[in-house]
Amino acid sequence: MVRPQVGDTIGHARVETLIASSGFSDVYRATDLRSGKPCAVRLWHVPFDYVTELRALFQHDARIAAALRHPHILRISEFGEWHSYGFITSEYMATGSLPMWLRRVSAPPVALFDLLRQAALALAYAHRFNIAHGDLRPAALLLTPDARYRAGQRLAISGFALGRLSSEALAIGGITPNRYLAPERRAGAEPSLAADIFAFGRLVGDLFGDTAIDPHITDLMAACCALNPARRPPAAALALALALHVRALSKDSAH
């Protein structure tokens, strides 16, 4: 793979440093040459010149992702190719991923559940348009400082609508699928809204398993991981349940 160097230009962004890497893509902090603001550039590992069917898939799915407009979905400003590798330029989330943040801070339950609420709102918005994430995992939950939220962080989910591309890249690289994939996805099914819900349930169990959770929330998260996709709750129900739980926790902490 051709890797960019500091100072290289990808699209309208000047590369500064590598900030994250996965089995199928790297993410670089960069500067948007049009606005002068920080941005992030995600560069896929598989060149389209060698796997040409990925080019059409990338262009189709990246166009869908770029059209999404929601405060808790990562904003995309540009997508294209650099030396035949697909790239997506997005807003820069200064705090990093949710798992990184949790390793640095000890957040109260109300803050953690408000972050979950933000993630559920993003899912609910995209699912209204029948758009699945397809590869939801902890590293896709990104944070940036924002005093309007209880945790002092705004959460945005990266990678919406790009799950098929990620799956293809992983298969080409011979990489084992992650544990957040629903059973039907492991069996070869396409990304789906129900599969996103399964991943959300797994994610909550991993990240917040040691946190005291209201029994209703526990039951709801267990329902997310039901083997039958039809029995998994919709994202809007998750967002409502989490909002009510955050309100209850807020009242308890006020007394």
Side-chain angles (χ1 to χ4, degrees), residues 116-145:
L116 278 178
R117 179 191 64 83
Q118 296 178 48
L121 285 172
L123 287 175
Y125 169 81
H127 287 186
R128 278 173 48 201
F129 302 102
N130 203 35
I131 297 173
H133 185 284
D135 189 34
L136 189 62
R137 61 179 75 193
L141 306 184
L142 304 179
L143 305 177
T144 197

Side-chain angles (χ1 to χ4, degrees), residues 22-24 133 135-141 157 166 170 177-178 180 199 203:
S22 69
F24 49 84
H133 185 284
D135 189 34
L136 189 62
R137 61 179 75 193
L141 306 184
I157 300 180
S166 299
L170 287 172
N178 72 77
Y180 301 94
L203 186 153

Side-chain angles (χ1 to χ4, degrees), residues 120 124 197 216-217 220-221 224 232-244:
I197 299 302
H216 176 64
I217 299 297
L220 196 59
M221 295 310 156
C224 289
R232 297 171 197 159
L238 296 176
L240 176 59
L242 288 164
L244 293 173

Side-chain angles (χ1 to χ4, degrees), residues 92-101 104 139 141-145 153:
Y92 176 62
M93 303 295 283
T95 302
S97 70
L98 178 56
M100 290 171 56
W101 183 70
R104 299 194 300 265
L141 306 184
L142 304 179
L143 305 177
T144 197
Q153 302 286 332

